[in-house]
Amino acid sequence: MNVRELTVAEAAKGLTSKKFSSVELTDGVLKLADGRKDATHAYVSIMSDQAMLQAEESDRRRSKGGAISDLDGVPIAIKDNILVAGQTATAASNILKDYVAPYDATVVGRLRLAGAVFVGKTNMDEFAMGSSCETSCHGPTRNPWAPEKIPGGSSGGSAAAVAEGTAIASLGSDTGGSIRQPAAMCGVVGLKPTYGRVSRYGLIAMASSLDQIGPIAKTVDDAALLLKTIEGPDGRDANGLPIPAEARLPEKITARAKGLRIGLPKEYFVGGMDAGVQKAVEEAIETLRGLGAEIKDISLPHAEHALAVYYVLMPSEVSANLARFDGVRYGLRVKGETLEDTYRKSRGRGFGREVRRRIMLGTYALSAGYYDAYYLKALKVRRLIANDFAQAFNEVDCILTPTSPTTAWNLGEKLDDPLSMYLADIYTVSVNVAGVPAISLPCGFSDGLPVGLQLIGRHFDENVILSIAKAYEQAADWRLARPLPSN
Amino acid sequence: MALTREDITHIAKLARLDVAEDEAEMFRNQLSSILEFVDKLSQAETDDVEPMNHVVPVHNAWREDKAEPCPAAMRDAVIAEFPEREGDLLKVKTVF
């Protein structure tokens, strides 16, 4: 049993055939996680005792003839902005450093009901603000492929854990690319579901019209299984939508690219990406062509505005969502002379620079005299971007882009220049702006670092992007490359 | 859009955020660059375009107007997170 290599499907098979027990599997994963905690630092907190208890319960269930699901007894990691009852949920911020979650997020509850074992809470950028996992109050996570490189962000810990095997799969959150980009940087699969498909109850909110929780895993099948387990309305997310019958995921995803139309947005392929990234993506396109997909050039005319729309809407929503962190009911309280002083000191001390930067940006964009020029304008251009996608999906079934214009950069490289960090989100943000689903999957390497391919689908059409992704995955098989531990 | 130091002071007050003296200039520069970048939105043609608040149309997601009691364990967990308390009461600085 090589815990580093196992997929969820393989773990389920091994558990069913009694090749190993959940206790053995979980123990193996926990040992590896402990061993890698200084090298990679994927975890904020490792839940050893609770995990072993869950593993024992799973083995007991199985011996009585009743494994609940393919996730029963399988060790899963949860991003630290998703609440797991009784465990700290810090969102990688000093303002929540000791905050203990009073309830399970819906997605966690559903995984728990499926018998999953929780390894621990993974590291992230503070309040999910970042693309490098460097703004965390706990210190950065390192890319398992190269320890001097970033793992991507904001779900850097979740992606690194899956890549190095310290979790068989994980959950992350994605507001502007925070599942897909670290998945690409770490050479694993990351899926952002259609907005409204997965409940946000128990996710510490960043930008309410953009946030989605999604799976990070080694394979398309694993990602699909996790999505199936966590998705669906729960009566607690006011923007949760029932999943249309035709959009339900099948038992097994059918690998298929033949006869499907894949669009390449011409605005995305006019340079701006590293040569190594371009080469890997172009080879992937040829592979898909060889599998029978029809490749077409399409246009997303308002693509050039997507980043600006995102960097107005997101900070605006952030400024509202983070108003609750005021030192009053929970979290860090730094007592001031007056109530306002307490607010200002608690927030000033508790929030890191990137968080304060975005709150200020949003506050400005929403303030009197600027609301129309910034926030309202961005909402209008949002509709134009969403319309672009709707138009494109009249001609194609799936849109293909690189996930990121570069591979992983060096720790510290972009920290002093926030704008250069924001520009790295260029291929991912429009997906959240339009609310459509997208998956990132490994498509090769450039100078030894993973390159990710992004497939974007229509609302609720995860089936199609998963099918194409699976067909590509089987043909190209990059997932067999595992990072060597550098300890 | 170039921000002034007064702008930063004003925004920080609106957002109830302390900004240290040695940070104010850094934020002023960075926010000004970012705003300059997002200013290009003004070039987009949006004359007859409705603002898009919902990416997928959902309106009036009501639930029954029925009080749901809070489970005792959750209530205790929430109270345990109070930064300062007297019994089960949250203690705060005077509002007025």
Side-chain angles (χ1 to χ4, degrees):
Chain A
M1 172 188 79
N2 184 345
V3 292
R4 295 205 305 127
E5 309 272 325
L6 284 175
T7 64
V8 173
E10 288 160 357
K13 232 159 131 211
L15 288 165
T16 307
S17 64
K18 299 209 175 9
K19 224 169 124 210
F20 45 77
S21 65
S22 176
V23 162
E24 285 166 332
L25 176 59
T26 301
D27 186 59
V29 169
L30 287 170
K31 283 202 166 72
L32 188 64
D34 189 65
R36 305 281 308 162
K37 70 173 188 282
D38 294 323
T40 311
H41 190 228
Y43 285 91
V44 173
S45 60
I46 297 178
M47 300 163 64
S48 318
D49 294 340
Q50 302 96 314
M52 289 311 284
L53 277 173
Q54 285 179 304
E56 283 161 17
E57 271 169 47
S58 173
D59 285 335
R60 253 195 305 274
R61 262 197 301 276
R62 197 178 291 276
S63 71
K64 292 197 181 123
I68 308 172
S69 75
D70 275 358
L71 281 168
D72 201 336
V74 179
I76 307 288
I78 309 288
K79 187 177 180 182
D80 209 21
N81 61 352
I82 299 172
L83 302 198
V84 176
Q87 188 64 16
T88 50
T90 69
S93 178
N94 280 319
I95 216 168
L96 287 177
K97 208 155 191 192
D98 302 309
Y99 177 74
V100 175
Y103 54 88
D104 273 343
T106 293
V107 296
V108 168
R110 288 175 177 183
L111 285 179
R112 210 188 276 280
L113 278 177
V117 171
F118 300 130
V119 184
K121 309 301 296 302
T122 53
N123 201 19
M124 50 184 282
D125 281 297
E126 187 180 0
F127 281 105
M129 301 187 199
S131 310
S132 64
C133 214
E134 291 177 290
T135 65
S136 168
C137 71
H138 309 292
T141 296
R142 294 165 183 280
N143 193 314
W145 291 90
E148 74 282 10
K149 305 274 181 195
I150 53 114
S154 60
S155 311
S158 283
V162 173
E164 70 176 2
T166 55
I168 311 292
S170 66
L171 289 189
S173 70
D174 188 314
T175 303
S178 288
I179 285 173
R180 294 162 283 150
Q181 187 256 33
M185 299 288 172
C186 291
V188 292
V189 176
L191 171 67
K192 184 205 82 75
T194 304
Y195 181 82
R197 186 163 188 140
V198 176
S199 170
R200 293 168 299 120
Y201 180 75
L203 168 69
I204 297 176
M206 182 189 172
S208 307
S209 79
L210 299 160
D211 291 344
Q212 269 292 280
I213 294 172
I216 297 176
K218 290 191 184 79
T219 65
V220 173
D221 274 343
D222 282 359
L225 172 63
L226 276 167
L227 177 62
K228 216 155 168 234
T229 310
I230 60 175
E231 68 183 3
D234 63 346
R236 295 190 150 132
D237 178 344
N239 283 311
L241 287 158
I243 297 164
E246 65 275 14
R248 299 251 168 81
L249 295 177
E251 269 306 307
K252 255 299 186 263
I253 301 290
T254 312
R256 179 193 164 203
K258 194 171 164 73
L260 290 168
R261 303 160 298 168
I262 299 178
L264 307 178
K266 62 180 212 264
E267 292 83 3
Y268 286 6
F269 284 88
V270 280
M273 67 180 101
D274 271 5
V277 169
Q278 180 149 7
K279 185 164 178 286
V281 170
E282 281 172 353
E283 281 168 11
I285 294 169
E286 284 320 299
T287 302
L288 284 165
R289 206 192 297 269
L291 288 169
E294 187 191 333
I295 311 290
K296 296 174 76 163
D297 283 329
I298 57 160
S299 175
L300 295 172
H302 297 91
E304 60 168 328
H305 295 300
L307 265 178
V309 166
Y310 177 74
Y311 277 101
V312 169
L313 293 182
M314 176 273 292
S316 300
E317 294 182 17
V318 157
S319 71
N321 279 326
L322 268 65
R324 71 193 67 185
F325 302 105
D326 53 11
V328 175
R329 290 160 296 166
Y330 41 68
L332 178 73
R333 178 188 285 191
V334 180
K335 271 171 87 170
E337 295 292 307
T338 62
L339 186 59
E340 178 173 335
D341 210 29
T342 300
Y343 291 153
R344 297 192 68 156
K345 285 192 161 66
S346 303
R347 291 159 64 79
R349 203 81 60 84
F351 288 142
R353 285 204 177 143
E354 185 59 34
V355 172
R356 283 181 289 149
R357 198 160 21 238
R358 295 194 192 191
I359 290 174
M360 286 196 279
L361 197 49
T363 302
Y364 183 76
L366 292 171
S367 65
Y370 296 104
Y371 177 94
D372 282 3
Y374 288 107
Y375 187 68
L376 194 59
K377 184 76 177 179
L379 284 181
K380 293 181 179 183
V381 183
R382 177 175 208 168
R383 187 174 295 282
L384 295 178
I385 290 169
N387 289 346
D388 279 359
F389 276 97
Q391 275 282 25
F393 286 127
N394 283 330
E395 299 167 39
V396 297
D397 305 301
C398 162
I399 294 172
L400 184 156
T401 80
T403 304
S404 166
T406 69
T407 53
W409 54 87
N410 291 325
L411 284 156
E413 193 177 313
K414 297 196 197 217
L415 263 184
D416 291 329
D417 187 0
L419 192 53
S420 83
M421 190 88 81
Y422 300 168
L423 292 174
D425 294 337
I426 188 158
Y427 300 128
T428 50
V429 295
S430 53
V431 170
N432 304 78
V433 167
V436 287
I439 187 170
S440 177
L441 58 160
C443 72
F445 293 88
S446 172
D447 288 328
L449 293 169
V451 178
L453 181 74
Q454 177 176 240
L455 297 174
I456 307 170
R458 300 178 179 95
H459 287 123
F460 284 105
D461 212 10
E462 277 80 346
N463 273 322
V464 164
I465 56 173
L466 287 165
S467 294
I468 297 174
K470 188 166 175 177
Y472 172 76
E473 177 187 71
Q474 288 178 344
D477 226 0
W478 294 111
R479 70 184 171 87
L480 291 184
R482 289 276 131 247
L484 298 170
S486 51
N487 53 334
Chain B
M1 178 72 211
L3 295 176
T4 63
R5 282 295 290 268
E6 287 72 43
D7 287 327
I8 298 295
T9 307
H10 175 62
I11 295 166
K13 185 169 168 70
L14 284 177
R16 301 295 187 259
L17 278 182
D18 256 358
V19 168
E21 262 312 297
D22 59 348
E23 291 180 309
E25 185 57 20
M26 174 200 72
F27 280 132
R28 192 191 70 78
N29 278 319
Q30 290 170 341
L31 288 174
S32 299
S33 318
I34 297 164
L35 285 170
E36 196 184 316
F37 173 73
V38 300
D39 272 341
K40 70 201 299 247
L41 273 183
S42 59
Q43 293 163 18
E45 180 61 64
T46 56
D47 277 345
D48 289 306
V49 183
E50 278 297 297
M52 185 178 221
N53 284 295
H54 292 274
V55 281
V56 201
V58 177
H59 302 288
N60 297 337
W62 304 125
R63 67 170 176 85
E64 243 194 278
D65 185 15
K66 217 173 52 168
E68 286 174 12
C70 180
M74 197 188 298
R75 183 179 180 275
D76 290 341
V78 169
I79 290 172
E81 290 305 311
F82 289 169
E84 230 184 308
R85 53 195 269 209
E86 254 175 41
D88 278 356
L89 301 176
L90 172 65
K91 199 164 174 197
V92 298
K93 273 270 177 226
T94 183
V95 178
F96 297 111

